[in-house]
Each structure stands twice: as C-alpha cells, then as structure tokens.
Amino acid sequence: MSEESRRIIAADVVFDGESAHRDCAVVIEGEDIVSLILRREIPRGATVLELPKGVWLAPGFIDIQVNGGGDILFNDEPTPEAIATILRAHRKFGTTSLLPTLITDTDEKMIAAKRAVTTILPREPGVLGVHFEGPFISPERLGVHRADLCRAPQPHHVEMLAPRPGGVSLVTLAPEAEPPGFVSELVAAGCKLALGHSMATYAQTRAAMSEGLTGFTHLFNAMRPLASREPGPIAAALESCAAYYGLIVDGEHVDPAMLRLALRAGLGHPMLVTDAMPPVGGSAQEFLLQGRPIIVRDGRCVTTEGALAGAALDMASAVRNCVAMLDLPLERALVFASTHPANFLGLGKRLGRLVAGYRADMTAFDPQSIRVVATWVAGAPSTEGAPSTQDAPSTEEW
C-alpha cells in the first residue's frame, strides 16, 4: 500500500493501552495500525486528521455484556438488524465492539440469537460473538431472569453454545448447578465461561476454574456474597491472577466502597461492563423484559417493585465513574474498558491496544468529561454522531 493511502490521526495524547504518549499520531493502513509516531515525525505534505485540542485517542471500548440499546432488547429481536441498531447506539459512547447478550430464554431464542450473530459477523467487525447469560443458572440467584426458563443443560446444548469460526461464545452459568463434566465440555468446545447468577461455594468455584472457567459476570451481583466462613466465588475471583471479572460501575449495582476494596485487593483483571438495556442510546424510558414492565427511574432500570433490571449505563459513563467514584487514574480505567476485555475473550493480540499490527479500533474523547467525539472501527470512522455536549466539539468542526 502506498504512502498516499495511509491515514494519520494526531492527538495531544494517545493512550496505547499501557502508556499515554503526548503529541503523537496513529498511522493506519486499511483496517490496521502501522505505527505510532511523534507529531514532529509526520511526513511533510501528509494528510492528517488533527483531533481537537486536549482530546485523547485510546483503544475503543469493548463491552462483553450488552442486553440492548437504541430502544432494542436483543431477547425481543435476535436479528442482524437489531444487532446493528444496538451497535449504533453504543458506538456514540466509545464502544467499538461488543457481545450482544441474550439473557435466559428458550432454546429456539438461543438458536435465533446465534444465527443472527453468525450472519452479521462477516460484515460487522464491531460484533465479536455472542454472550449467553443463562439459562443454566441458580434459581436462588435469578435477578430478573425468569425461573420457568432456567433449566439443566442437555447434551445438545454443547453444540448449540459452541462458537462459530471467527466469533466468540461467552456463557454465564452457575457451575454448582451443572452436571459433572459440563464445564470441561464447553471449554473443549471453544466457549469462554463466566460464573454468574450462582450460589457456588468457594470450593465449587475453584473446581470450575480448574476446568477452564476464567470469568465472573458482574462481580458481587447475583452471586453468593462474601462471608467469613464461606468466601464463595467473590474471594475465588479476587485471589486468582487468572480471573477476569466484570464490574458494573454505576453507583447502583455495587457500592463504590466495595469496588474500591476489590480493586485494591484483587489480583485478577477487572473489566468494565454496562449490562445495558434498551434505553442506552435510545429515547424510551420504559420497556418490557419478557413481558415484565421495566422503568428507567433516576438513571436506574427497575421493575415496578423497584428491583434492578440491567442498567442504563454506557461505557463512557463507566469510565467516567471509575475516575470520579473510585478515584482511579484515567489510564487504568481505560485498560478496564478495552485491554482486559480483549484479553479475556482471547483477542488480546488484535484488539485492546493502539500498536502496530492491531486493528484500528479507537475512540477519541475529552479527558475531563469523558465525552466521546469520534470512534473508528477497523480503521473506518463511525457514521454515528457523538452525543451533543458543550464539553466536546462535534466532528463537523474538524
């Protein structure tokens, strides 16, 4: 490819997934990053997109738990068109790739979800695969999952859950509720496994981890709580260097004090997740979840009884909350939003960093407000406009 075909994006700060570099530029050819160079090294006469003053450029956010967005619930519409709408809704908030997430449902709906993802994968790099959150979960930790749809796995479920070529299949389950060998079978079939909606003991969690389970879905929520004589899955997650645990940092699902404690004590890899519902990137303030009314009230998705039902959280807000609520350096929050999820999914040699050879998935944002001004997926700029704010300029001003 010729020098003329290279695209250069320059920023006051480029965060490459490990370090922040000042007055740098990212050089792109096709879908990939060729190099990071200093501004002063940009060839004379090159066409350069100069990001607005003060804006950071960082790896695009990767969200592994997205139930919906743009007023669409994936369970209601497991189609390629619905996935495309969800992608557009989340891209405005810096999410360049995600896993559409199907909560506990019928086999027919699971098959439809997998078919939709398989169909859109070749043409939409922002879709990394599918997340099946259930149905093999504990009746004692349902959350808003329907009890009548929870069930024990059958032999055909291994093939049903196995990933298709080029895609990831993440399965959230309660290991204590599964027959012997099921966790190992799913791992052998290529699935990524996460404990969630579970009453597993510490010993049961450790046993599942020895069989290949590495993830924990929304740590603290919908799982056996940490206790002095039964530490359960939370302790098993935090003490393992190999564990990856999703955190919903909205100030509602988990008290910030608990999250700060976990981040200080944990040896594993925190990941920001949204657990997003249809209102994210949409306009409706209420929706139905498998026939059950859900209302957005004070920024929370709740049932009519007041129970949490997913979240009205986007990834830019999750990063912002990490800095404001958890007192984290911005760079560390960005790692939680991109590098760690990429590594968990087995995509850490392709996504989650801005270095040579990686796909050019990037987000540009104001570092004070974490307001997103632009995104790129596989080198292509997003056609979605950034949220209108006074803190960040629109792309039309560049």
Side-chain angles (χ1 to χ4, degrees):
M1 193 171 285
S2 66
E3 289 291 330
E4 290 77 11
S5 67
R6 292 189 173 188
R7 301 176 322 279
I8 301 175
I9 302 172
D12 285 356
V13 176
V14 175
F15 179 70
D16 66 8
E18 291 184 358
S19 304
H21 306 274
R22 296 199 173 275
D23 293 318
C24 272
V26 178
V27 184
I28 302 168
E29 280 187 359
E31 296 186 351
D32 296 342
I33 295 170
V34 175
S35 62
L36 263 65
I37 59 175
L38 295 173
R39 263 199 175 112
R40 65 174 181 266
E41 297 172 338
I42 296 174
R44 186 182 301 274
T47 300
V48 182
L49 173 61
E50 286 280 354
L51 295 181
K53 184 175 177 59
V55 164
W56 281 38
L57 187 65
F61 305 149
I62 301 171
D63 195 346
I64 65 171
Q65 190 173 3
V66 180
N67 309 298
D71 296 323
I72 295 289
L73 180 70
F74 190 45
N75 279 70
D76 284 348
E77 299 183 49
T79 65
E81 294 75 19
I83 295 172
T85 297
I86 292 169
L87 282 170
R88 288 194 297 270
H90 285 268
R91 199 150 291 165
K92 293 182 288 188
F93 305 104
T95 297
T96 54
S97 54
L98 54 78
L99 294 181
T101 301
L102 189 84
I103 71 167
T104 296
D105 216 313
T106 64
D107 276 11
E108 291 73 22
K109 193 66 70 71
M110 294 169 72
I111 291 169
K114 186 174 181 179
R115 183 184 301 120
V117 168
T118 301
T119 299
I120 200 172
L121 268 172
R123 63 175 187 262
E124 180 45 74
V127 179
L128 302 180
V130 63
H131 180 175
F132 293 107
E133 188 183 355
F136 314 121
I137 60 177
S138 169
E140 297 179 66
R141 291 288 167 178
L142 289 173
V144 292
H145 291 233
R146 278 176 47 177
D148 62 314
L149 294 174
C150 296
R151 54 199 183 274
Q154 303 299 317
H156 70 277
H157 284 125
V158 174
E159 171 59 27
M160 183 187 297
L161 296 170
R164 289 288 182 261
V168 174
S169 182
L170 171 60
V171 181
T172 292
L173 49 70
E176 79 282 4
E178 316 312 337
F182 186 63
V183 168
S184 296
E185 286 185 79
L186 288 180
V187 171
C191 295
K192 300 293 181 182
L193 296 191
L195 179 148
H197 294 273
S198 169
M199 277 297 288
T201 64
Y202 174 83
Q204 289 168 329
T205 304
R206 294 284 297 179
M209 294 174 75
S210 72
E211 295 181 36
L213 182 146
T214 55
F216 293 80
T217 295
H218 43 53
L219 192 71
F220 294 104
N221 296 115
M223 63 179 60
R224 180 188 287 274
L226 188 67
S228 59
R229 287 183 293 277
E230 178 42 79
I234 296 172
L238 294 178
E239 72 175 7
S240 171
C241 296
Y244 289 83
Y245 27 90
L247 303 176
I248 305 175
V249 186
D250 62 356
E252 301 290 346
H253 279 75
V254 186
D255 190 279
M258 290 296 291
L259 291 174
R260 288 193 294 268
L261 181 63
L263 293 176
R264 286 196 298 269
L267 301 179
H269 310 281
M271 303 178 292
L272 297 183
V273 297
T274 63
D275 200 13
M277 285 296 187
V280 175
S283 59
Q285 294 301 295
E286 54 185 82
F287 60 97
L288 292 177
L289 177 61
Q290 297 176 322
R292 193 174 185 181
I294 307 296
I295 304 166
V296 180
R297 181 185 301 148
D298 299 324
R300 307 161 75 236
C301 292
V302 295
T303 66
T304 52
E305 297 81 22
L308 288 171
L313 180 69
D314 60 78
M315 284 292 278
S317 295
V319 171
R320 185 183 312 118
N321 292 343
C322 278
V323 176
M325 293 181 185
L326 307 184
D327 303 320
L328 290 181
L330 175 57
E331 292 92 331
R332 193 175 180 204
L334 294 172
V335 169
F336 295 175
S338 57
T339 311
H340 284 180
N343 290 342
F344 171 58
L345 297 178
L347 303 173
K349 294 185 178 180
R350 183 70 172 144
L351 301 178
R353 297 181 65 194
L354 301 186
V355 296
Y358 277 61
R359 200 170 78 185
D361 286 10
M362 306 180 293
T363 184
F365 60 91
D366 177 89
Q368 303 304 317
S369 62
I370 320 298
R371 302 293 179 183
V372 172
V373 299
T375 57
W376 293 260
V377 180
S382 173
T383 58
E384 297 306 305
S388 178
T389 72
Q390 294 182 343
D391 302 306
S394 69
T395 54
E396 285 76 14
E397 294 178 58
W398 300 358

